C-alpha cells in the first residue's frame, strides 16, 4: 500500500516541498531513501516506538520511505511526523483524504509526544505560497507558524492527537494571532534606558549620531568607563522594527531554533554580543548542519563586539564583506546559502594593552610602539568600515555621585526617528539605500557636499591632524547625519567639525598623545 503526504526541507531561509512516500508490503525490514542525514535515518526507531506507545497496533511489514526530490539533502528531525502518519495511513489507521492539501512537520518522542523543530515560520510561509490548505506543527511551534495569515495552522501535542484530528474524532481549532497588534504592543518595552547613564554627554551624542545614520561605531576607553553599558542601550534609541523587518528577522531566529513558544515575532531590534573567543563559523554561520551565525542573528539590529582586539584576526576579517554587502553567502559541500545580515557594528576596546592610556587617574606603562601594535590588531580595511570612533573618558567620582539622570531613551529615539525619516525620503528612489551609512560615492557627492567654509575646515583638519584619505568619505557621511539631526538641508562647518571629532584612530599620532 502506497501513501503520499507532504513536508518541507529548510535550507537557510529557502524552503522546498518534500513529498514523503511510504510503501508497505509483506515481509520485514525498513528502508529510508532520499538523501537523508543521520538524524533522519534514525527516525525509524523514534517513529515505530512512538506509534506503539500511542496506542496503535503496528503490524510487522516491509516499509520503504522515500523523501522526494531525492537530490535535496534532508536533515533534522522534522520528518518524524509525516513518516509516522504515512505509515499509519498506509495501514488504514488514518483517513487518507484528510491528508490531502496538508503539510506536516514535527519531531516525535518515544512516548508519541511532538517536540518543536527549527524553521516552522519559513515552512508556514512556503506552505501558504504553495497553496496548502493547512499546516500541522508541534504545539511549541504553533505561535510562530501562525504569524502567517491566510493559512490554517494547527498545533498538536502528540501523534495520537494528530491522528484523531485527521480521523474526525478530535477537533483542533486553527491558531489565530492578531499579528499586527501583538507586534506593535511590545515595540517600546526595554529592560534598559539611557537615563541610567550619568555624564558621558559626548559619548551619548556619538551613539545618537550613529543610530540616526546607521553608522558603525567604535568606543575606545579604559576599563570600567561605561563602554559596554552604553552600547547595550543603543537598541533603545534605534527606530522601531517595521513588520516586514520583523518577519525577516523572525525567520532567521526560527531557523536557528531561538524562538520560544510564547512569542510569534521578534518585536525589538536584536542585540547580539558574542564572546571574543567565538569561531569564524559561529560568527558568520555554517557548520556541518547549517546554523545562522551571529551576524545574521543581528540582522536589523546591533552586533556588539566587546574587547575588539581580542577577537581572532581571521574572525574579524570575515566581517569585511558582510559589512559592505549586508548579506553573507556560505558555500559548503552540502549547501549554498545566502542570508541577510544588515546590522550596526558596535565595538569597544581598551586604548592599550594595560588599558589606561590617556586615563587621568591611572598611569600607563605602555610604550607608543606597544600601543600602536595593539591597535594594529584591527586591520585598516575593517577600521575603514567604522564611521564613528569615539574616545570614552572615565567619569570622576565627584561627577558620578552628583550627576543627574541622563536624557531618557524615548526622547533620543524621537530625534533618531525624525532623522531617519529624512533619509528615507531622500533615498526613496535609490534601491537598497535606506540610511546615510549606505551612501555610495555618487550619493556622497550629491547629498553630502559641504559649503566652502566646511570644505576648507575639512582640508585643514586632514592636513593638521594627519587624517588618512579613507576618513574623507566617512566624515562627509557622518556630517550628513549630524545635519539631518539638526533638520538642516545643507552641511555646515559646525557639522563638519563635529564629524571630524569622531575620527580618533585616524590621527597618525593618536598613540603618542
Amino acid at each position: 500500500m502506497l501513501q503520499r503526504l507532504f513536508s518541507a526541507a529548510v535550507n537557510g531561509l529557502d524552503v522546498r516541498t518534500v513529498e514523503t512516500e511510504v510503501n508497505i508490503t509483506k515481509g520485514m525490514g525498513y528502508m529510508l531513501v532520499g538523501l537523508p542525514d543521520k538524524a533522519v535515518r534514525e527516525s525509524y526507531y523514534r517513529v515505530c516506538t512512538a506509534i506503539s506507545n500511542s496506542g496503535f497496533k503496528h503490524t510487522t511489514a516491509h516499509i520503504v520511505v522515500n523523501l522526494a526530490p531525492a537530490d535535496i539533502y534532508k536533515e533534522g528531525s522534522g520528518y518524524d511526523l509525516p513518516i509516522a502518519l504515512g505509515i499509519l495511513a498506509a495501514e488504514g489507521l488514518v483517513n487518507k483524504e484528510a491528508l490531502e492539501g496538508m503539510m506536516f512537520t514535527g519531531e516525535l518522542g518515544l512516548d508519541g509526544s511532538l517536540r518543536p523543530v527549527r524553521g516552522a515560520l519559513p515552512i508556514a510561509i512556503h506552505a501558504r505560497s504553495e497553496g496548502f490548505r493547512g499546516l500541522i506543527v508541534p504545539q511549541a511551534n504553533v505561535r510562530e507558524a501562525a504569524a502567517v495569515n491566510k493559512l490554517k495552522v494547527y498545533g498538536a501535542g502528540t501523534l495520537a492527537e494528530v491522528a484523531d484530528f485527521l480521523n474526525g474524532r478530535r477537533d483542533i481549532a486553527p491558531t489565530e494571532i492578531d499579528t499586527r497588534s501583538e507586534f506593535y504592543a511590545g515595540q517600546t518595552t526595554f529592560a534598559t534606558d539611557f537615563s541610567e547613564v550619568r555624564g558621558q554627554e559626548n559619548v551619548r551624542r556619538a551613539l545618537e549620531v550613529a543610530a540616526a545614520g546607521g553608522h558603525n561605531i567604535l568606543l575606545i576607553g579604559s576599563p570600567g568607563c561605561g563602554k559596554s553599558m552604553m552600547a547595550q542601550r543603543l537598541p533603545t534609541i534605534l527606530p522601531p522594527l517595521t513588520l516586514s523587518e520583523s518577519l525577516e528577522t523572525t525567520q532567521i531566529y526560527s531557523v536557528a531554533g531561538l524562538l520560544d513558544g510564547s512569542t510569534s515575532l521578534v518585536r525589538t531590534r536584536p542585540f547580539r554580543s558574542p564572546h571574543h573567543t567565538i569561531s569564524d563559523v559561529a560568527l558568520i554561520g555554517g557548520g556541518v548542519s547549517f546554523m545562522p551565525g551571529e551576524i545574521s542573528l543581528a540582522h536589523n539590529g546591533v552586533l556588539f563586539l566587546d574587547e575588539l582586539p581580542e577577537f581572532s584576526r581571521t574572525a574579524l576579517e570575515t566581517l569585511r564583506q558582510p559589512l559592505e554587502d549586508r548579506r553573507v553567502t556560505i558555500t559548503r559541500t552540502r549547501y549554498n546559502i545566502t542570508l541577510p545580515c544588515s546590522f550596526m557594528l558596535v565595538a569597544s576596546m581598551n586604548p592599550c594593552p594595560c588599558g589606561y592610556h590617556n586615563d587621568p587617574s591611572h598611569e600607563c606603562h605602555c610604550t607608543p610602539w606597544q600601543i600602536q601594535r595593539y591597535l594594529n590588531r584591527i586591520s585598516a580595511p575593517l577600521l575603514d568600515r567604522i564611521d564613528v570612533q569615539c574616545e570614552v573618558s572615565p567619569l570622576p567620582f565627584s561627577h558620578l555621585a552628583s550627576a543627574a539622570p541622563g536624557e531618557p531613551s524615548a526622547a533620543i529615539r524621537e530625534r533618531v526617528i525624525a532623522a531617519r525619516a529624512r533619509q528615507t525620503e531622500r533615498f526613496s528612489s535609490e534601491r537598497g539605500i535606506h540610511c546615510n551609512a549606505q551612501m555610495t560615492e555618487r550619493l556622497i557627492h550629491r547629498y553630502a557636499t559641504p559649503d566652502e567654509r566646511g570644505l576648507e575646515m575639512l582640508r585643514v583638519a586632514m592636513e593638521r591632524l594627519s587624517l588618512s584619505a579613507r576618513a574623507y568619505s566617512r566624515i562627509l557621511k557622518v556630517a550628513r547625519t549630524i545635519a539631518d539631526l539638526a533638520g538642516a538641508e545643507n552641511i555646515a562647518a559646525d557639522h563638519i567639525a563635529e564629524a571630524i571629532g569622531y575620527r580618533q584612530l585616524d590621527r597618525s599620532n593618536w598613540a603618542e598623545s
Side-chain angles (χ1 to χ4, degrees), residues 68-345:
D71 60 342
I72 296 177
Y73 190 67
K74 319 299 189 310
E75 61 180 7
S77 55
Y79 302 99
D80 289 4
L81 179 60
I83 291 174
L85 291 174
I87 293 174
L88 293 175
E91 293 180 338
L93 300 176
V94 167
N95 182 9
K96 298 179 180 181
E97 286 74 16
L99 299 175
E100 295 179 2
M102 297 290 290
M103 183 173 281
F104 307 87
T105 185
E107 176 184 340
L108 286 174
L110 297 183
D111 59 351
S113 61
L114 281 177
R115 295 174 176 170
V117 295
R118 294 191 289 144
L121 178 57
I123 290 174
I125 294 173
H126 177 75
R128 182 184 63 181
S129 67
E130 291 294 305
F132 285 88
R133 63 183 177 89
L135 170 67
I136 295 181
V137 298
Q139 190 64 46
N141 292 123
V142 69
R143 289 189 63 81
E144 62 176 282
V148 180
N149 55 20
K150 298 181 181 179
L151 175 71
K152 292 183 178 180
V153 178
Y154 303 90
T158 65
L159 174 62
E161 288 181 13
V162 177
D164 288 344
F165 169 67
L166 295 173
N167 288 329
R169 294 194 296 264
R170 176 188 292 268
D171 183 31
I172 300 178
T175 301
E176 296 182 359
I177 295 177
D178 188 343
T179 305
R180 292 186 178 275
S181 62
E182 181 173 313
F183 169 67
Y184 291 114
Q187 282 200 319
T188 58
T189 303
F190 299 99
T192 57
D193 195 276
F194 261 101
S195 62
E196 300 158 354
V197 179
R198 297 178 182 270
Q200 301 291 8
E201 296 301 330
N202 64 318
V203 187
R204 292 161 59 95
R205 171 64 176 177
L207 289 169
E208 180 180 340
V209 170
H215 303 288
N216 301 321
I217 182 170
L218 174 62
L219 303 177
I220 316 150
S222 55
C225 64
K227 303 186 298 293
S228 299
M229 178 186 183
M230 288 182 281
Q232 290 166 358
R233 284 154 178 76
L234 183 59
T236 67
I237 65 173
L238 288 172
L241 283 170
T242 64
L243 187 56
S244 61
E245 287 177 332
S246 176
L247 282 169
E248 194 173 39
T249 304
T250 304
Q251 287 187 70
I252 297 173
Y253 275 69
S254 177
V255 171
L258 297 180
L259 292 176
D260 57 52
S262 62
T263 184
S264 59
L265 292 173
V266 174
R267 292 172 290 185
T268 58
R269 294 192 180 273
F271 181 87
R272 303 295 299 183
S273 180
H275 192 262
H276 61 256
T277 57
I278 189 172
S279 67
D280 308 355
V281 172
L283 186 63
I284 297 299
V288 177
S289 294
F290 174 78
M291 282 288 287
E294 289 292 332
I295 63 171
S296 293
L297 295 173
H299 180 57
N300 291 321
V302 175
L303 177 66
F304 177 48
L305 302 183
D306 199 8
E307 303 296 343
L308 185 64
E310 303 303 326
F311 284 78
S312 72
R313 183 67 176 249
T314 55
L316 291 180
E317 293 308 299
T318 59
L319 292 175
R320 287 160 52 179
Q321 184 178 355
L323 281 170
E324 289 291 330
D325 298 342
R326 299 186 181 271
R327 66 180 184 274
V328 60
T329 299
I330 304 164
T331 303
R332 299 292 184 269
T333 303
R334 293 176 175 173
Y335 54 80
N336 186 305
I337 293 173
T338 298
L339 287 181
C341 58
S342 180
F343 60 89
M344 272 186 64
L345 175 63

